[in-house]
Amino acid sequence: MPRITLILKKDGNIDTQYLARQVMEVVRDECGSVIAYSRSTLLWFSNTYTEDIHEFLHRKLSEAGIRHSIVSIVNPKPLIAGLTAWHMIKKGAVFYYDNSPEDEYTVIYMPIYTRIKTGLEELSSPMDAVCIAETISFHVKQIVFRSGGLYYDLAGDLISIVPKDSLDSIKTLVGENIPLSVGTGLKFCEALQRALKNL
């Protein structure tokens, strides 16, 4: 079961990108496992980072005067882990670390924008390509979300973190026209790098 850590900033004066950089520096993030997911929320794919490291991050952010909550949950469905963390924070949790055993991340890379742009470059305008890519991306995001996965954009392409047992159904629903590559690994960076290399 992969670990999803939600970091919610409670201070509107702190920029989320600034907070993401602070977290990446403290945890020595190598590949972008800390994602600014919304204006107030960071997602951290934190498998293999111990409770001590999570507590160290919590202490460092507090010492920097950043009001926040950190909740780390392990669940086979990354979406459920994120929602559970969110509900715990909304009920008042300031720090929580789930000690359940961790399992590999399953990461899918889908170069939607790159593929559409390349395929339509000579046939249509850049505006058409963006519109088509956005439409396809919206459809694919719904598939990932319904499977219990999470996703984020990478320069118009899509990175998805999905339940291992839903991989075949996602491939079927997405279809053959959207290339995808899969990477797995206990560390998020390993899984992401494998997904990016496998295409």
Side-chain angles (χ1 to χ4, degrees):
M1 297 188 296
R3 178 176 299 282
I4 306 295
T5 300
L6 193 69
I7 303 169
L8 178 73
K9 71 179 180 82
K10 299 178 178 178
D11 187 345
N13 296 325
I14 302 290
D15 178 66
T16 307
Q17 294 296 338
Y18 169 79
L19 177 59
R21 288 190 299 274
Q22 296 299 308
V23 172
M24 286 188 273
E25 186 177 309
V26 171
V27 302
R28 296 189 174 114
D29 181 46
E30 301 167 1
C31 70
S33 64
V34 179
I35 310 298
Y37 208 70
S38 74
R39 290 189 317 187
S40 62
T41 308
L42 302 180
L43 281 181
W44 176 26
F45 302 103
S46 60
N47 263 11
T48 74
Y49 287 93
T50 63
E51 184 173 4
D52 287 345
I53 293 172
H54 284 75
E55 286 177 343
F56 178 72
L57 172 63
H58 180 55
R59 189 168 63 251
K60 283 293 186 184
L61 293 178
S62 296
E63 288 170 0
I66 299 171
R67 292 175 47 244
H68 67 284
S69 292
I70 297 177
V71 173
S72 187
I73 301 292
V74 176
N75 192 287
K77 294 183 183 269
L79 175 61
I80 300 301
L83 290 173
T84 302
W86 174 256
H87 287 296
M88 289 179 68
I89 289 171
K90 286 300 173 185
K91 289 184 177 180
V94 175
F95 181 86
Y96 176 80
Y97 182 87
D98 181 351
N99 281 302
S100 301
E102 298 171 344
D103 194 4
E104 290 183 326
Y105 290 105
T106 302
V107 175
I108 302 175
Y109 170 58
M110 290 175 265
I112 294 171
Y113 181 72
T114 304
R115 177 69 176 254
I116 297 296
K117 184 180 174 205
T118 304
L120 296 178
E121 207 164 50
E122 295 182 16
L123 300 175
S124 65
S125 71
M127 288 70 73
D128 290 331
V130 168
C131 183
I132 291 168
E134 287 292 326
T135 302
I136 292 170
S137 182
F138 177 75
H139 173 68
V140 172
K141 288 174 182 177
Q142 286 182 315
I143 292 169
V144 169
F145 195 74
R146 284 196 303 263
S147 78
L150 294 168
Y151 57 80
Y152 64 94
D153 290 307
L154 181 68
D157 294 334
L158 200 63
I159 302 290
S160 302
I161 301 86
V162 301
K164 191 185 300 186
D165 63 0
S166 66
L167 189 55
D168 289 337
S169 65
I170 290 171
K171 286 180 180 178
T172 301
L173 290 167
V174 169
E176 296 177 4
N177 293 326
I178 301 297
L180 58 81
S181 63
V182 179
T184 59
L186 194 57
K187 291 185 176 182
F188 179 76
C189 293
E190 292 172 356
L192 178 60
Q193 286 162 3
R194 288 172 185 154
L196 294 173
K197 286 178 183 175
N198 285 340
L199 193 63

